[in-house]
C-alpha cells in the first residue's frame, strides 16, 4: 500500500522537470526511511488550501479554530512554579530547549563543520543617497571528514561608509543575487527598499543565502552542512533539520560580521519571511547573540500555535515538501500522535528569545495570509509575554488582538498586522521604528 502510494504520487510528477522529479523521489525515500525508523505507516494529510470542498479543507473560520489549553510555560517539569529569573534561566529554559531539540527541530551535532570565511569582493558605491561599503563573503565548510558533501555559505552586507562609530545591522535570510521567482518579470516595489530604509535610519543590512547552508529539499540531506555532519548516514530521529541548520548558519554569519569592527555586534538582528520567518524565530530561540528579531508570516512550525485549527496544519509540515525542516521525531505528531501530544507549542519557542526584543507580524486572512494563522501568531506572542515580565521587561502591550495596521509596539514583544498579503515589506517601517526605540537610536 505504501509502495503503491509512492508510485501514485510519482505519477503526478509527469510534467515536472527531471531534476525536480529526482529530488522528489529522493525526498520521499528519505521521509519513508524515517517513518520506518519511527515505526509509523504514514502521516495524516494536512489542510487542503486549494479545494474548499475537500474534507480536509483549510479552516479560515475563527469560530472553528478552537481555544485549546497550552503546555505550561512557567512550570518546571516536576510541577514547581517558576518564580524567579534564576529559575527560568537555570531550570525551565533548558528543559524547553531540550524538548524542542528532541521533538521539533533536532540537535546540532558535534560533527557540524567549521566554517572558514573569506572576502570575495568589496565595493564602494552610493545607496540611499549616501556612500556605502558593500562586501561579499563566502564561508566554506570543512568537509575533510566527508568530502562527498560540501557547503559554501554566501553572505553579503552593506554598511554606511562615513560613520564614526559601529553601526547596528539587520541580517535577513534570503536568496542569491540575481534570483527571481519563475514567471514574467515583476516591476520593482514602489518606494525605498528595506535596505535603503535601514541605511536611512543608521543601520547596515545583510543577507545570508539560506540554501547555501543547506538545500531546502529532503532529497539533498546528504549534502550541505547536514550532509557533512552525517558522514554518509541517514538522519536519526533527533538529528537536526533544515530550520535548525539555517539558524546555525546565521550564527556562523554572525561570526563573520563580528570580524568587521564597523558593525556593532551588540545590535545585530535577524529577519525572515514565511519559512525564513520560521528560521528567524528558531535563530532567536537558540542563538542569544542576536539582539532583535523580525519574524514575518512564519505560521505553523514558527510563531503560530500548533493547537489551533486554522490554515496550515501539522500534517502539511510532515509531508514531503516540508518534513526536512524538522527532526524526524516531529513526524510522530502527524502520525499516531497529534499536535495536542506535543510537549511544547509556539509560545514556548517565542519565550526562548526573552528578554530580547522581537517583532512578529503577518498579513490578513482577507489579503491572502490566512494560511499562517495571524491570530494564532498573536496569541502565541501573548502567551509568551509572562517570561519577559519575569525577566523585568514588558511583553506585549495589549491583550486584545489589534486592528489591522495598528502596531502594538510599546512592549518588548511587538505585533503588527498589515494588508499586503504574504510579505514583510509592509511591516519594515514599523519594525525599523521599533528597533530604533529598542536600541535607543534617536
Amino acid at each position: 500500500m505504501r509502495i503503491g502510494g509512492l508510485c501514485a504520487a510519482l505519477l503526478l510528477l509527469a510534467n515536472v522537470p527531471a531534476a525536480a522529479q529526482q529530488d522528489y523521489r529522493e525526498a520521499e525515500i528519505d521521509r519513508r526511511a524515517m517513518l520506518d525508523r519511527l515505526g509509523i505507516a504514514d502521516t495524516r494529510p494536512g489542510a487542503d488550501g486549494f479545494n474548499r470542498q475537500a474534507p480536509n479543507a483549510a479552516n479560515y473560520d475563527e469560530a472553528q479554530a478552537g481555544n485549546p489549553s497550552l503546555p505550561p510555560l512557567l512550570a518546571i517539569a516536576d510541577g514547581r512554579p517558576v518564580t524567579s529569573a534564576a529559575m527560568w534561566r537555570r531550570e525551565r529554559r533548558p528543559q524547553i530547549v531540550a524538548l524542542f531539540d528532541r521533538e521539533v527541530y533536532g540537535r546540532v551535532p558535534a560533527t557540524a563543520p567549521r566554517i572558514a570565511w573569506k572576502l570575495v569582493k568589496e565595493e564602494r558605491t552610493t545607496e540611499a543617497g549616501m556612500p556605502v561599503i558593500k562586501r561579499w563573503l563566502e564561508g566554506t565548510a570543512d568537509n575533510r571528514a566527508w568530502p562527498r558533501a560540501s557547503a559554501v555559505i554566501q553572505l553579503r552586507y552593506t554598511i554606511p561608509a562615513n560613520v564614526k562609530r559601529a553601526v547596528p545591522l539587520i541580517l535577513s535570510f534570503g536568496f542569491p543575487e540575481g534570483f527571481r521567482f519563475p514567471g514574467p518579470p515583476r516591476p520593482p516595489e514602489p518606494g525605498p527598499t528595506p535596505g535603503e530604509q535601514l541605511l536611512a535610519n543608521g543601520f547596515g543590512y545583510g543577507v545570508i543565502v539560506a540554501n547555501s547552508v543547506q538545500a531546502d529539499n529532503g532529497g539533498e540531506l546528504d549534502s550541505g552542512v547536514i550532509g557533512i555532519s552525517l558522514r554518509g548516514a541517514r538522519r536519526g530521529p533527533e538529528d537536526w533539520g533544515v530550520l535548525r541548520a539555517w539558524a546555525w548558519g546565521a550564527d556562523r554569519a554572525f561570526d563573520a560580521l563580528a570580524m568587521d569592527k564597523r558593525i556593532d555586534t551588540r545590535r545585530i538582528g535577524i529577519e525572515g519571511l514565511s519559512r525564513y520567518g520560521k528560521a528567524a524565530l528558531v535563530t532567536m530561540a537558540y542563538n542569544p547573540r542576536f539582539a532583535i528579531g523580525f519574524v514575518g508570516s512564519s505560521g505553523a512550525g514558527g510563531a503560530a500555535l500548533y493547537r489551533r485549527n486554522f490554515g496550515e496544519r501539522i500534517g502539511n509540515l510532515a509531508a514531503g515538501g516540508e518534513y526536512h525542516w524538522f527532526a524526524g521525531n516531529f513526524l510522530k505528531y502527524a502520525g499516531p500522535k497529534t499536535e495536542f501530544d506535543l510537549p511544547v507549542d509556539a509560545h514556548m519557542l517565542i519565550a526562548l528569545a526573552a528578554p530580547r526584543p522581537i517583532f512578529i507580524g503577518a498579513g490578513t486572512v482577507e489579503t491572502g495570509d490566512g494560511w499562517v494563522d495571524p491570530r494564532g501568531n498573536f496569541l502565541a506572542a501573548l502567551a509568551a509575554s509572562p517570561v519577559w515580565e519575569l525577566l523585568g521587561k514588558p511583553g506585549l502591550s495589549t491583550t486584545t488582538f489589534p486592528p489591522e495596521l495598528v502596531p502594538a509596539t510599546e512592549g518588548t514583544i511587538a505585533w503588527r498586522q498589515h494588508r499586503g498579503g504574504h510579505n514583510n515589506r509592509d511591516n519594515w517601517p514599523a519594525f525599523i521604528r521599533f528597533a530604533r526605540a529598542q536600541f535607543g537610536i534617536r
Side-chain angles (χ1 to χ4, degrees):
M1 182 183 218
R2 289 175 56 191
I3 294 175
L6 174 58
C7 292
L10 292 176
L11 288 175
L12 300 176
L13 299 175
N15 296 319
V16 175
Q21 290 187 36
Q22 184 61 30
D23 286 344
Y24 179 89
R25 292 187 187 96
E26 294 296 332
E28 189 61 16
I29 290 169
D30 179 79
R31 190 178 81 95
R32 292 201 172 272
M34 181 61 74
L35 292 176
D36 287 342
R37 187 161 186 170
L38 295 169
I40 299 172
D42 210 340
T43 55
R44 296 186 305 279
D48 189 329
F50 300 98
N51 181 5
R52 300 300 302 146
Q53 305 307 314
N56 61 328
N59 174 57
Y60 297 116
D61 179 0
E62 188 59 38
Q64 303 298 318
N67 185 27
S69 59
L70 300 177
L73 178 60
L74 290 175
I76 305 299
D78 62 11
R80 288 176 294 131
V82 177
T83 57
S84 68
M87 284 186 72
W88 167 258
R89 293 190 177 102
R90 294 175 188 171
E91 297 187 67
R92 185 55 176 155
R93 190 182 191 282
Q95 288 178 347
I96 294 172
V97 168
L99 290 172
F100 277 108
D101 279 351
R102 189 183 71 229
E103 304 296 331
V104 185
Y105 300 112
R107 293 186 174 89
V108 175
T111 51
R114 293 182 179 274
I115 303 297
W117 288 98
K118 70 175 181 180
L119 177 65
V120 176
K121 184 172 72 168
E122 181 172 296
E123 178 181 294
R124 289 179 177 266
T125 184
T126 301
E127 188 174 346
M130 68 179 70
V132 297
I133 300 169
K134 292 181 171 290
R135 306 186 94 207
W136 290 258
L137 281 71
E138 289 182 350
T140 301
D142 182 352
N143 67 343
R144 288 174 293 179
W146 190 254
R148 297 182 191 179
S150 62
V152 179
I153 302 175
Q154 299 174 39
L155 169 66
R156 61 185 184 273
Y157 64 91
T158 301
I159 53 176
N162 299 330
V163 292
K164 296 181 179 179
R165 61 182 63 182
V167 298
L169 182 142
I170 305 300
L171 178 67
S172 296
F173 286 104
F175 302 98
E177 287 186 295
F179 171 86
R180 72 177 183 85
F181 291 102
R186 302 178 184 181
E189 299 290 348
T193 66
E196 291 168 339
Q197 294 177 53
L198 286 164
L199 289 169
N201 281 276
F203 289 76
Y205 70 92
V207 173
I208 177 173
V209 177
N211 278 14
S212 69
V213 179
Q214 184 66 43
D216 186 7
N217 186 329
E220 296 187 42
L221 293 173
D222 58 351
S223 191
V225 300
I226 292 178
I228 295 170
S229 73
L230 291 174
R231 309 288 200 261
R234 288 199 185 275
R235 289 191 304 160
E238 297 183 18
D239 285 332
W240 54 342
V242 170
L243 289 173
R244 189 73 193 276
W246 286 345
W248 176 89
D251 210 28
R252 304 289 68 75
F254 191 109
D255 295 337
L257 295 171
M259 292 188 288
D260 192 331
K261 300 303 181 184
R262 296 165 295 193
I263 297 173
D264 185 348
T265 57
R266 299 166 303 168
R267 298 189 293 178
I268 295 177
I270 187 72
E271 179 268 344
L273 170 72
S274 195
R275 64 194 62 190
Y276 294 160
K278 302 182 205 295
L281 182 53
V282 174
T283 301
M284 284 294 290
Y286 279 102
N287 304 321
R289 294 189 296 175
F290 284 93
I292 193 169
F294 179 11
V295 177
S297 298
S298 63
L305 292 170
Y306 291 107
R307 285 164 167 79
R308 272 172 54 89
N309 174 22
F310 201 101
E312 186 173 27
R313 304 304 307 280
I314 203 165
N316 301 99
L317 301 177
E322 301 179 14
Y323 81 98
H324 56 277
W325 294 345
F326 303 94
N329 274 334
F330 186 71
L331 301 182
K332 297 182 301 186
Y333 299 98
K337 299 183 178 183
T338 75
E339 53 268 41
F340 294 95
D341 296 307
L342 261 173
V344 293
D345 212 316
H347 66 305
M348 300 165 84
L349 182 67
I350 295 170
L352 295 180
R356 292 163 292 158
I358 189 167
F359 184 111
I360 299 172
T364 67
V365 176
E366 293 74 19
T367 57
D369 218 17
W371 187 249
V372 307
D373 187 11
R375 188 182 293 266
N377 286 247
F378 171 82
L379 292 174
L382 180 61
S385 289
V387 175
W388 270 264
E389 294 158 8
L390 181 72
L391 300 179
K393 297 282 188 178
L396 267 175
S397 56
T398 179
T399 59
T400 303
F401 191 50
E404 299 162 19
L405 306 183
V406 177
T409 54
E410 292 79 19
T412 318
I413 308 176
W415 166 263
R416 184 177 185 269
Q417 189 176 30
H418 60 76
R419 291 176 178 161
H422 194 64
N423 75 64
N424 268 354
R425 181 192 64 244
D426 293 81
N427 266 349
W428 269 106
F431 167 72
I432 292 173
R433 288 192 293 271
F434 174 69
R436 285 177 59 93
Q438 292 295 324
F439 287 166
I441 301 173
R442 302 188 183 280

